Amino acid sequence: MESKLPVSSNKTLFLNDKGARKRFSIKKMLLFTLMIILALGQIFPLIWLINFSFLKSGDFFGSAFLKWPETFEWQNYIDAFTYGSVPRYFFNSLLITMITVVVSAILSLMLAYAFTRMKWKYKTTVMNIILLGMIIPIHATLLPNFIIFNKLNMLDNMFTLILPYIAFSLPISMFIMTGFLETIPKEVEESAVMDGAGVFGIIFRIMLPMTKPAIATISVLNFITWWNEFIIANTFLVSDELKTLPFSILKFTGQYSSNYGAQFAVMTMIAVPSIIIYIIFSKQMTKGITSGAVKG
């Protein structure tokens, strides 16, 4: 005969299971609430920025964090495009940033391949020297770079921005790319070598398609880093036709008063491209970072 549990035991098990589900749902609800609060805290600066870009300059003063505009001041964006020279500065920023991103991605892939696949003398020493760039702040090199570019007659030139940007992008880019390449089996390259592929053929025809997540990761990081960089640009650039997008903010700064609405409009337009790029490549970034975390 089959043994049956007493009715009281079945009732106790049911109550315990119900209590466990209730505790789990409470924990899940608390975690969900916490994540909502953190998300709101993260996006609040963006909401605040957009909100203030539609206010008149006289509406900024007060104790309220956010103000619903009586009428949306679209004139702030019109002033940004006309008086702020946004289209020209936007093109300069886009050109400088894209050159930096593309060259940094190519060089980091080539360096990572040399350090992970090739055997040569002083490999570890050279790699450590390059990685030291991760702990050196770029603004600490302003004075020596200024002296060097001045002696080379390279001041007020786009390359005075592109070269330092690339140099300081390489350490972290190579670090991420190296971790990703170590997860790719070497048998893939061995079969390519058997087919007669050379070093550059392996890098650009075999490795480049396989490292798209890592390339997306370092490209987004470098884009966000250099898209709105101002201190180096303000130090090395003089000509108005070469200036980058952050200079538009200075167009609305006066000695006695400033057009705050137009400044917030410019800052909103500076922030939007970075947000769009991050949203588009967020999945690739996650894959590129986590793939290099574990070897094999």
Side-chain angles (χ1 to χ4, degrees), residues 79 93 104 137-138 226 244 269:
D79 292 341
S93 291
S104 299
I138 187 171
W226 306 120
T244 53
M269 287 186 284

Side-chain angles (χ1 to χ4, degrees), residues 128-176:
N128 291 334
I129 292 173
I130 294 176
L131 292 178
L132 279 175
M134 295 174 63
I135 64 174
I136 300 175
I138 187 171
H139 300 120
T141 66
L142 273 177
L143 181 58
N145 281 338
F146 183 87
I147 294 173
I148 293 172
F149 290 139
N150 186 38
K151 290 185 177 181
L152 295 175
N153 294 322
M154 289 183 61
L155 290 177
D156 199 25
N157 189 306
M158 282 191 176
F159 285 102
T160 59
L161 300 185
I162 293 173
L163 293 177
Y165 290 175
I166 293 174
F168 279 87
S169 298
L170 280 179
I172 184 65
S173 300
M174 190 197 69
F175 179 76
I176 295 173

Side-chain angles (χ1 to χ4, degrees), residues 220-272:
V220 172
L221 290 176
N222 290 332
F223 184 91
I224 294 174
T225 301
W226 306 120
W227 170 248
N228 58 353
E229 198 283 325
F230 177 71
I231 296 179
I232 295 177
N234 190 41
T235 304
F236 294 155
L237 297 181
V238 178
S239 302
D240 189 67
E241 60 269 12
L242 295 176
K243 290 181 178 179
T244 53
L245 196 53
F247 283 91
S248 296
I249 301 174
L250 300 181
K251 293 276 189 176
F252 303 100
T253 303
Q255 184 177 0
Y256 300 105
S257 63
S258 299
N259 188 345
Y260 297 113
Q263 288 181 342
F264 275 91
V266 173
M267 287 188 284
T268 301
M269 287 186 284
I270 292 175
V272 166

Side-chain angles (χ1 to χ4, degrees), residues 172-183:
I172 184 65
S173 300
M174 190 197 69
F175 179 76
I176 295 173
M177 187 66 72
T178 300
F180 191 87
L181 279 182
E182 288 180 347
T183 64

Side-chain angles (χ1 to χ4, degrees), residues 181-241:
L181 279 182
E182 288 180 347
T183 64
I184 299 176
K186 294 183 179 180
E187 289 75 13
V188 176
E189 305 156 56
E190 292 174 357
S191 61
V193 172
M194 294 294 292
D195 293 335
V199 174
F200 290 101
I202 295 174
I203 293 175
F204 293 107
R205 295 177 61 185
I206 306 298
M207 291 299 171
L208 184 61
M210 298 180 67
T211 56
K212 284 183 180 180
I215 291 175
T217 301
I218 62 180
S219 296
V220 172
L221 290 176
N222 290 332
F223 184 91
I224 294 174
T225 301
W226 306 120
W227 170 248
N228 58 353
E229 198 283 325
F230 177 71
I231 296 179
I232 295 177
N234 190 41
T235 304
F236 294 155
L237 297 181
V238 178
S239 302
D240 189 67
E241 60 269 12

